[in-house]
Amino acid sequence: MKFAKKILCAALILAAVAGTVFAGGKTESAQGGQLDKIRNAGVLKVGVKSDVPNFGLLNTASNTYEGFEIELSGLIAKEILGDAAKVAFTPVTAATRGPLLDNGDIDLVIATFTITEERKLTYNFSTSYYTDAVGLLVKKAAGISGLDGLDGKTVGVAQSATSRQALEAAASAVGASVKFAEFATYPEIKAALDSGRVDAFSVDRSILRGYLDSETVLLDDAFSPQDYGVASKFDNKELASYIDGLIQKWLGDGTIKALTDKYKI
Ligand code: GLU
């Protein structure tokens, strides 16, 4: 009897251990690794810019995306899925890219997203793959030639962008006091510049180049370096460390240099 009890006990323990292991395995596969999830989906979902020439630009004639960040997305898809074409692009803005990551609509953001200490509390960022600087777009007719000419003027900036803080610091360093008007999108800021509601449009210089036309000029001022990183949802540490490994490899082996050379950026 005693012996039978022992056997029963041992069997129960074994079953419990097996159950735990099984449950563990089940939990693991139900949640899945983040890379496995992308492999199972067969597509990498990337949030990109649609209005930044040479970075992320939607070619409306062919309805395809073009640029450095688009090719970078393709290279990542090739690594994960074996095919650079297995990417689904979602156009994002400074205000929408974070929420789209948070709610799982996209796996990555590769969209002129500046790495900041504050943002690192909410998103994972890879090592920086490119460094830009903030600049100023003004109307040629305004006769503004630099930061110091902005004293008392109103500058249009995008919500959720680093521009306002960067410009505040740079302007005060040259003794200029600037007023700000915030907008949700860049086309709205450009329209405000055209109509005279703002005197200047400030954001990263790469982004401003997309809005340069015969009436406007991009000033030489370049301030507040902007290090761009590939961002992922904060919980997705496995994906983040995999992506960081790729970026570091491509920074080291010249892949990224070849692409920035190709786009002359
Ligand atoms: N790169 C800047 C930022 O991350 C400008 C905004 C943008 O990328 O649209 O805030």
Side-chain angles (χ1 to χ4, degrees), residues 49 52 92-95 97 111-116 119 132 134 158-163 186 203-204 206-207 226-228:
K49 286 295 182 76
V52 184
V92 300
T93 67
R97 60 193 165 190
T112 69
F113 204 0
T114 303
I115 306 165
T116 68
R119 287 175 178 166
D132 195 19
V134 178
Q159 289 153 3
S160 314
T162 51
S163 331
Y186 299 124
V203 71
D204 305 359
S206 54
I207 298 171
Q226 302 289 307
D227 291 324
Y228 297 163

PDB file of all heavy atoms in Angstrom, residues 49 52 92-95 97 111-116 119 132 134 158-163 186 203-204 206-207 226-228, ligand 1:
ATOM      1  N   LYS A  49       8.071  56.968 -43.832  1.00  0.00           N
ATOM      2  CA  LYS A  49       7.618  58.269 -44.287  1.00  0.00           C
ATOM      3  C   LYS A  49       7.203  58.151 -45.753  1.00  0.00           C
ATOM      4  O   LYS A  49       7.775  57.347 -46.507  1.00  0.00           O
ATOM      5  CB  LYS A  49       8.740  59.301 -44.144  1.00  0.00           C
ATOM      6  CG  LYS A  49       9.008  59.724 -42.694  1.00  0.00           C
ATOM      7  CD  LYS A  49       7.823  60.456 -42.114  1.00  0.00           C
ATOM      8  CE  LYS A  49       8.026  60.946 -40.706  1.00  0.00           C
ATOM      9  NZ  LYS A  49       8.864  62.115 -40.583  1.00  0.00           N
ATOM     10  N   VAL A  52       9.305  62.113 -47.601  1.00  0.00           N
ATOM     11  CA  VAL A  52      10.687  62.536 -47.365  1.00  0.00           C
ATOM     12  C   VAL A  52      11.567  61.995 -48.497  1.00  0.00           C
ATOM     13  O   VAL A  52      11.936  60.822 -48.510  1.00  0.00           O
ATOM     14  CB  VAL A  52      11.207  62.056 -45.985  1.00  0.00           C
ATOM     15  CG1 VAL A  52      12.607  62.587 -45.727  1.00  0.00           C
ATOM     16  CG2 VAL A  52      10.265  62.491 -44.866  1.00  0.00           C
ATOM     17  N   VAL A  92       3.568  56.853 -42.164  1.00  0.00           N
ATOM     18  CA  VAL A  92       3.411  57.373 -40.802  1.00  0.00           C
ATOM     19  C   VAL A  92       3.831  58.842 -40.751  1.00  0.00           C
ATOM     20  O   VAL A  92       4.545  59.339 -41.623  1.00  0.00           O
ATOM     21  CB  VAL A  92       4.251  56.584 -39.769  1.00  0.00           C
ATOM     22  CG1 VAL A  92       3.850  55.117 -39.745  1.00  0.00           C
ATOM     23  CG2 VAL A  92       5.767  56.717 -40.017  1.00  0.00           C
ATOM     24  N   THR A  93       3.382  59.516 -39.693  1.00  0.00           N
ATOM     25  CA  THR A  93       3.834  60.881 -39.415  1.00  0.00           C
ATOM     26  C   THR A  93       4.485  60.857 -38.038  1.00  0.00           C
ATOM     27  O   THR A  93       4.435  59.842 -37.333  1.00  0.00           O
ATOM     28  CB  THR A  93       2.646  61.864 -39.381  1.00  0.00           C
ATOM     29  OG1 THR A  93       1.836  61.531 -38.245  1.00  0.00           O
ATOM     30  CG2 THR A  93       1.817  61.807 -40.637  1.00  0.00           C
ATOM     31  N   ALA A  94       5.038  62.013 -37.645  1.00  0.00           N
ATOM     32  CA  ALA A  94       5.661  62.089 -36.329  1.00  0.00           C
ATOM     33  C   ALA A  94       4.645  61.737 -35.239  1.00  0.00           C
ATOM     34  O   ALA A  94       4.987  61.130 -34.232  1.00  0.00           O
ATOM     35  CB  ALA A  94       6.218  63.494 -36.106  1.00  0.00           C
ATOM     36  N   ALA A  95       3.385  62.098 -35.468  1.00  0.00           N
ATOM     37  CA  ALA A  95       2.375  61.864 -34.439  1.00  0.00           C
ATOM     38  C   ALA A  95       1.792  60.447 -34.460  1.00  0.00           C
ATOM     39  O   ALA A  95       1.342  59.955 -33.438  1.00  0.00           O
ATOM     40  CB  ALA A  95       1.255  62.889 -34.590  1.00  0.00           C
ATOM     41  N   ARG A  97       3.369  57.454 -35.701  1.00  0.00           N
ATOM     42  CA  ARG A  97       4.256  56.270 -35.711  1.00  0.00           C
ATOM     43  C   ARG A  97       4.296  55.533 -34.368  1.00  0.00           C
ATOM     44  O   ARG A  97       4.333  54.296 -34.353  1.00  0.00           O
ATOM     45  CB  ARG A  97       5.654  56.648 -36.204  1.00  0.00           C
ATOM     46  CG  ARG A  97       6.346  57.685 -35.382  1.00  0.00           C
ATOM     47  CD  ARG A  97       7.583  58.259 -36.076  1.00  0.00           C
ATOM     48  NE  ARG A  97       7.970  59.469 -35.387  1.00  0.00           N
ATOM     49  CZ  ARG A  97       8.865  60.337 -35.789  1.00  0.00           C
ATOM     50  NH1 ARG A  97       9.506  60.149 -36.918  1.00  0.00           N
ATOM     51  NH2 ARG A  97       9.149  61.405 -35.093  1.00  0.00           N
ATOM     52  N   ALA A 111      11.484  55.607 -39.990  1.00  0.00           N
ATOM     53  CA  ALA A 111      10.854  56.814 -40.517  1.00  0.00           C
ATOM     54  C   ALA A 111      11.440  58.074 -39.894  1.00  0.00           C
ATOM     55  O   ALA A 111      10.750  58.782 -39.165  1.00  0.00           O
ATOM     56  CB  ALA A 111       9.347  56.749 -40.269  1.00  0.00           C
ATOM     57  N   THR A 112      12.704  58.339 -40.168  1.00  0.00           N
ATOM     58  CA  THR A 112      13.387  59.552 -39.654  1.00  0.00           C
ATOM     59  C   THR A 112      13.096  59.739 -38.172  1.00  0.00           C
ATOM     60  O   THR A 112      12.910  60.856 -37.695  1.00  0.00           O
ATOM     61  CB  THR A 112      12.984  60.842 -40.432  1.00  0.00           C
ATOM     62  OG1 THR A 112      11.625  61.185 -40.148  1.00  0.00           O
ATOM     63  CG2 THR A 112      13.188  60.700 -41.931  1.00  0.00           C
ATOM     64  N   PHE A 113      13.038  58.643 -37.432  1.00  0.00           N
ATOM     65  CA  PHE A 113      12.638  58.660 -36.016  1.00  0.00           C
ATOM     66  C   PHE A 113      13.893  58.894 -35.168  1.00  0.00           C
ATOM     67  O   PHE A 113      14.757  58.027 -35.066  1.00  0.00           O
ATOM     68  CB  PHE A 113      11.989  57.321 -35.668  1.00  0.00           C
ATOM     69  CG  PHE A 113      11.045  57.350 -34.487  1.00  0.00           C
ATOM     70  CD1 PHE A 113      10.791  58.508 -33.781  1.00  0.00           C
ATOM     71  CD2 PHE A 113      10.382  56.187 -34.115  1.00  0.00           C
ATOM     72  CE1 PHE A 113       9.899  58.516 -32.711  1.00  0.00           C
ATOM     73  CE2 PHE A 113       9.492  56.174 -33.054  1.00  0.00           C
ATOM     74  CZ  PHE A 113       9.247  57.347 -32.347  1.00  0.00           C
ATOM     75  N   THR A 114      13.972  60.095 -34.583  1.00  0.00           N
ATOM     76  CA  THR A 114      15.146  60.462 -33.789  1.00  0.00           C
ATOM     77  C   THR A 114      15.171  59.717 -32.457  1.00  0.00           C
ATOM     78  O   THR A 114      14.168  59.676 -31.742  1.00  0.00           O
ATOM     79  CB  THR A 114      15.129  61.981 -33.515  1.00  0.00           C
ATOM     80  OG1 THR A 114      15.080  62.655 -34.770  1.00  0.00           O
ATOM     81  CG2 THR A 114      16.359  62.410 -32.738  1.00  0.00           C
ATOM     82  N   ILE A 115      16.331  59.177 -32.138  1.00  0.00           N
ATOM     83  CA  ILE A 115      16.522  58.495 -30.850  1.00  0.00           C
ATOM     84  C   ILE A 115      16.693  59.575 -29.774  1.00  0.00           C
ATOM     85  O   ILE A 115      17.581  60.427 -29.889  1.00  0.00           O
ATOM     86  CB  ILE A 115      17.804  57.628 -30.883  1.00  0.00           C
ATOM     87  CG1 ILE A 115      17.777  56.662 -32.075  1.00  0.00           C
ATOM     88  CG2 ILE A 115      18.010  56.905 -29.565  1.00  0.00           C
ATOM     89  CD1 ILE A 115      19.135  56.034 -32.390  1.00  0.00           C
ATOM     90  N   THR A 116      15.840  59.565 -28.764  1.00  0.00           N
ATOM     91  CA  THR A 116      16.027  60.487 -27.638  1.00  0.00           C
ATOM     92  C   THR A 116      15.927  59.673 -26.344  1.00  0.00           C
ATOM     93  O   THR A 116      15.317  58.590 -26.329  1.00  0.00           O
ATOM     94  CB  THR A 116      14.951  61.600 -27.585  1.00  0.00           C
ATOM     95  OG1 THR A 116      13.683  61.001 -27.268  1.00  0.00           O
ATOM     96  CG2 THR A 116      14.849  62.373 -28.887  1.00  0.00           C
ATOM     97  N   ARG A 119      12.282  59.084 -25.487  1.00  0.00           N
ATOM     98  CA  ARG A 119      11.609  58.067 -26.308  1.00  0.00           C
ATOM     99  C   ARG A 119      12.091  56.669 -25.992  1.00  0.00           C
ATOM    100  O   ARG A 119      11.358  55.694 -26.168  1.00  0.00           O
ATOM    101  CB  ARG A 119      11.821  58.378 -27.801  1.00  0.00           C
ATOM    102  CG  ARG A 119      11.013  59.571 -28.269  1.00  0.00           C
ATOM    103  CD  ARG A 119      11.344  59.925 -29.696  1.00  0.00           C
ATOM    104  NE  ARG A 119      10.539  61.049 -30.167  1.00  0.00           N
ATOM    105  CZ  ARG A 119      10.790  61.737 -31.251  1.00  0.00           C
ATOM    106  NH1 ARG A 119      11.832  61.419 -32.010  1.00  0.00           N
ATOM    107  NH2 ARG A 119      10.021  62.735 -31.612  1.00  0.00           N
ATOM    108  N   ASP A 132      20.973  63.268 -39.014  1.00  0.00           N
ATOM    109  CA  ASP A 132      20.595  64.488 -39.732  1.00  0.00           C
ATOM    110  C   ASP A 132      20.692  65.662 -38.747  1.00  0.00           C
ATOM    111  O   ASP A 132      21.218  65.488 -37.635  1.00  0.00           O
ATOM    112  CB  ASP A 132      19.159  64.333 -40.272  1.00  0.00           C
ATOM    113  CG  ASP A 132      18.828  65.390 -41.322  1.00  0.00           C
ATOM    114  OD1 ASP A 132      19.752  65.994 -41.884  1.00  0.00           O
ATOM    115  OD2 ASP A 132      17.622  65.623 -41.573  1.00  0.00           O
ATOM    116  N   VAL A 134      18.513  69.575 -37.567  1.00  0.00           N
ATOM    117  CA  VAL A 134      17.305  70.381 -37.747  1.00  0.00           C
ATOM    118  C   VAL A 134      17.665  71.617 -38.570  1.00  0.00           C
ATOM    119  O   VAL A 134      18.793  72.126 -38.476  1.00  0.00           O
ATOM    120  CB  VAL A 134      16.725  70.784 -36.369  1.00  0.00           C
ATOM    121  CG1 VAL A 134      15.494  71.673 -36.520  1.00  0.00           C
ATOM    122  CG2 VAL A 134      16.376  69.535 -35.568  1.00  0.00           C
ATOM    123  N   ALA A 158       6.038  70.514 -36.154  1.00  0.00           N
ATOM    124  CA  ALA A 158       5.080  69.409 -36.065  1.00  0.00           C
ATOM    125  C   ALA A 158       4.929  68.949 -34.621  1.00  0.00           C
ATOM    126  O   ALA A 158       5.896  68.948 -33.855  1.00  0.00           O
ATOM    127  CB  ALA A 158       5.540  68.240 -36.927  1.00  0.00           C
ATOM    128  N   GLN A 159       3.700  68.557 -34.290  1.00  0.00           N
ATOM    129  CA  GLN A 159       3.451  67.964 -32.973  1.00  0.00           C
ATOM    130  C   GLN A 159       4.239  66.665 -32.868  1.00  0.00           C
ATOM    131  O   GLN A 159       4.439  65.977 -33.873  1.00  0.00           O
ATOM    132  CB  GLN A 159       1.955  67.622 -32.820  1.00  0.00           C
ATOM    133  CG  GLN A 159       1.072  68.837 -32.691  1.00  0.00           C
ATOM    134  CD  GLN A 159      -0.351  68.589 -33.173  1.00  0.00           C
ATOM    135  OE1 GLN A 159      -0.702  67.483 -33.557  1.00  0.00           O
ATOM    136  NE2 GLN A 159      -1.137  69.639 -33.157  1.00  0.00           N
ATOM    137  N   SER A 160       4.655  66.323 -31.687  1.00  0.00           N
ATOM    138  CA  SER A 160       5.388  65.075 -31.408  1.00  0.00           C
ATOM    139  C   SER A 160       6.744  65.004 -32.093  1.00  0.00           C
ATOM    140  O   SER A 160       7.293  63.920 -32.241  1.00  0.00           O
ATOM    141  CB  SER A 160       4.584  63.827 -31.822  1.00  0.00           C
ATOM    142  OG  SER A 160       3.276  63.913 -31.389  1.00  0.00           O
ATOM    143  N   ALA A 161       7.258  66.124 -32.543  1.00  0.00           N
ATOM    144  CA  ALA A 161       8.586  66.134 -33.170  1.00  0.00           C
ATOM    145  C   ALA A 161       9.584  66.803 -32.219  1.00  0.00           C
ATOM    146  O   ALA A 161       9.195  67.512 -31.290  1.00  0.00           O
ATOM    147  CB  ALA A 161       8.537  66.894 -34.489  1.00  0.00           C
ATOM    148  N   THR A 162      10.854  66.562 -32.479  1.00  0.00           N
ATOM    149  CA  THR A 162      11.909  67.124 -31.642  1.00  0.00           C
ATOM    150  C   THR A 162      12.195  68.590 -31.985  1.00  0.00           C
ATOM    151  O   THR A 162      12.946  69.259 -31.281  1.00  0.00           O
ATOM    152  CB  THR A 162      13.219  66.332 -31.867  1.00  0.00           C
ATOM    153  OG1 THR A 162      13.449  66.257 -33.269  1.00  0.00           O
ATOM    154  CG2 THR A 162      13.137  64.936 -31.279  1.00  0.00           C
ATOM    155  N   SER A 163      11.603  69.092 -33.084  1.00  0.00           N
ATOM    156  CA  SER A 163      11.981  70.385 -33.652  1.00  0.00           C
ATOM    157  C   SER A 163      11.833  71.576 -32.708  1.00  0.00           C
ATOM    158  O   SER A 163      12.715  72.434 -32.647  1.00  0.00           O
ATOM    159  CB  SER A 163      11.162  70.663 -34.914  1.00  0.00           C
ATOM    160  OG  SER A 163      10.804  69.489 -35.563  1.00  0.00           O
ATOM    161  N   TYR A 186       3.205  67.904 -41.960  1.00  0.00           N
ATOM    162  CA  TYR A 186       4.107  68.824 -42.659  1.00  0.00           C
ATOM    163  C   TYR A 186       3.415  69.600 -43.788  1.00  0.00           C
ATOM    164  O   TYR A 186       3.679  70.791 -43.947  1.00  0.00           O
ATOM    165  CB  TYR A 186       5.349  68.076 -43.162  1.00  0.00           C
ATOM    166  CG  TYR A 186       6.119  67.481 -42.003  1.00  0.00           C
ATOM    167  CD1 TYR A 186       6.408  66.127 -41.936  1.00  0.00           C
ATOM    168  CD2 TYR A 186       6.514  68.284 -40.938  1.00  0.00           C
ATOM    169  CE1 TYR A 186       7.073  65.592 -40.845  1.00  0.00           C
ATOM    170  CE2 TYR A 186       7.173  67.759 -39.845  1.00  0.00           C
ATOM    171  CZ  TYR A 186       7.452  66.404 -39.799  1.00  0.00           C
ATOM    172  OH  TYR A 186       8.087  65.898 -38.717  1.00  0.00           O
ATOM    173  N   VAL A 203      12.148  71.680 -39.125  1.00  0.00           N
ATOM    174  CA  VAL A 203      12.188  70.237 -38.835  1.00  0.00           C
ATOM    175  C   VAL A 203      13.532  69.747 -39.370  1.00  0.00           C
ATOM    176  O   VAL A 203      14.367  70.567 -39.814  1.00  0.00           O
ATOM    177  CB  VAL A 203      10.959  69.500 -39.463  1.00  0.00           C
ATOM    178  CG1 VAL A 203      11.026  69.408 -40.974  1.00  0.00           C
ATOM    179  CG2 VAL A 203      10.820  68.087 -38.866  1.00  0.00           C
ATOM    180  N   ASP A 204      13.768  68.443 -39.386  1.00  0.00           N
ATOM    181  CA  ASP A 204      15.027  67.905 -39.911  1.00  0.00           C
ATOM    182  C   ASP A 204      15.207  68.358 -41.363  1.00  0.00           C
ATOM    183  O   ASP A 204      14.252  68.414 -42.132  1.00  0.00           O
ATOM    184  CB  ASP A 204      15.001  66.369 -39.876  1.00  0.00           C
ATOM    185  CG  ASP A 204      14.689  65.835 -38.494  1.00  0.00           C
ATOM    186  OD1 ASP A 204      14.510  66.638 -37.559  1.00  0.00           O
ATOM    187  OD2 ASP A 204      14.606  64.617 -38.361  1.00  0.00           O
ATOM    188  N   SER A 206      16.431  66.867 -43.904  1.00  0.00           N
ATOM    189  CA  SER A 206      16.029  65.876 -44.916  1.00  0.00           C
ATOM    190  C   SER A 206      14.537  66.019 -45.218  1.00  0.00           C
ATOM    191  O   SER A 206      14.112  65.879 -46.374  1.00  0.00           O
ATOM    192  CB  SER A 206      16.341  64.456 -44.430  1.00  0.00           C
ATOM    193  OG  SER A 206      15.756  64.238 -43.164  1.00  0.00           O
ATOM    194  N   ILE A 207      13.755  66.290 -44.180  1.00  0.00           N
ATOM    195  CA  ILE A 207      12.305  66.424 -44.351  1.00  0.00           C
ATOM    196  C   ILE A 207      11.984  67.734 -45.070  1.00  0.00           C
ATOM    197  O   ILE A 207      11.140  67.772 -45.984  1.00  0.00           O
ATOM    198  CB  ILE A 207      11.596  66.343 -42.979  1.00  0.00           C
ATOM    199  CG1 ILE A 207      11.846  64.965 -42.336  1.00  0.00           C
ATOM    200  CG2 ILE A 207      10.106  66.630 -43.105  1.00  0.00           C
ATOM    201  CD1 ILE A 207      11.385  64.827 -40.899  1.00  0.00           C
ATOM    202  N   GLN A 226      20.263  64.858 -35.215  1.00  0.00           N
ATOM    203  CA  GLN A 226      19.135  63.934 -35.087  1.00  0.00           C
ATOM    204  C   GLN A 226      19.597  62.539 -35.514  1.00  0.00           C
ATOM    205  O   GLN A 226      19.833  62.297 -36.701  1.00  0.00           O
ATOM    206  CB  GLN A 226      17.982  64.388 -35.984  1.00  0.00           C
ATOM    207  CG  GLN A 226      17.472  65.796 -35.690  1.00  0.00           C
ATOM    208  CD  GLN A 226      16.717  65.881 -34.379  1.00  0.00           C
ATOM    209  OE1 GLN A 226      15.774  65.120 -34.141  1.00  0.00           O
ATOM    210  NE2 GLN A 226      17.125  66.786 -33.505  1.00  0.00           N
ATOM    211  N   ASP A 227      19.768  61.659 -34.532  1.00  0.00           N
ATOM    212  CA  ASP A 227      20.197  60.287 -34.821  1.00  0.00           C
ATOM    213  C   ASP A 227      18.974  59.412 -35.059  1.00  0.00           C
ATOM    214  O   ASP A 227      18.160  59.216 -34.158  1.00  0.00           O
ATOM    215  CB  ASP A 227      20.986  59.722 -33.630  1.00  0.00           C
ATOM    216  CG  ASP A 227      22.329  60.402 -33.453  1.00  0.00           C
ATOM    217  OD1 ASP A 227      22.951  60.737 -34.474  1.00  0.00           O
ATOM    218  OD2 ASP A 227      22.740  60.588 -32.291  1.00  0.00           O
ATOM    219  N   TYR A 228      18.861  58.878 -36.257  1.00  0.00           N
ATOM    220  CA  TYR A 228      17.707  58.038 -36.595  1.00  0.00           C
ATOM    221  C   TYR A 228      17.960  56.580 -36.219  1.00  0.00           C
ATOM    222  O   TYR A 228      19.036  56.028 -36.515  1.00  0.00           O
ATOM    223  CB  TYR A 228      17.410  58.099 -38.097  1.00  0.00           C
ATOM    224  CG  TYR A 228      17.010  59.462 -38.623  1.00  0.00           C
ATOM    225  CD1 TYR A 228      17.062  59.730 -39.986  1.00  0.00           C
ATOM    226  CD2 TYR A 228      16.578  60.477 -37.772  1.00  0.00           C
ATOM    227  CE1 TYR A 228      16.686  60.976 -40.490  1.00  0.00           C
ATOM    228  CE2 TYR A 228      16.205  61.717 -38.269  1.00  0.00           C
ATOM    229  CZ  TYR A 228      16.262  61.958 -39.615  1.00  0.00           C
ATOM    230  OH  TYR A 228      15.895  63.184 -40.105  1.00  0.00           O
TER     231      TYR A 228
HETATM  232  N1  GLU B   1      13.179  63.338 -36.677  1.00  0.00           N
HETATM  233  C1  GLU B   1      12.420  64.228 -35.847  1.00  0.00           C
HETATM  234  C2  GLU B   1      11.730  63.471 -34.770  1.00  0.00           C
HETATM  235  O1  GLU B   1      11.844  62.286 -34.684  1.00  0.00           O
HETATM  236  C3  GLU B   1      11.479  65.051 -36.679  1.00  0.00           C
HETATM  237  C4  GLU B   1      10.111  64.543 -36.828  1.00  0.00           C
HETATM  238  C5  GLU B   1       9.924  63.484 -37.877  1.00  0.00           C
HETATM  239  O2  GLU B   1      10.720  62.575 -37.985  1.00  0.00           O
HETATM  240  O3  GLU B   1       8.904  63.555 -38.573  1.00  0.00           O
HETATM  241  O4  GLU B   1      11.068  64.079 -33.956  1.00  0.00           O
END
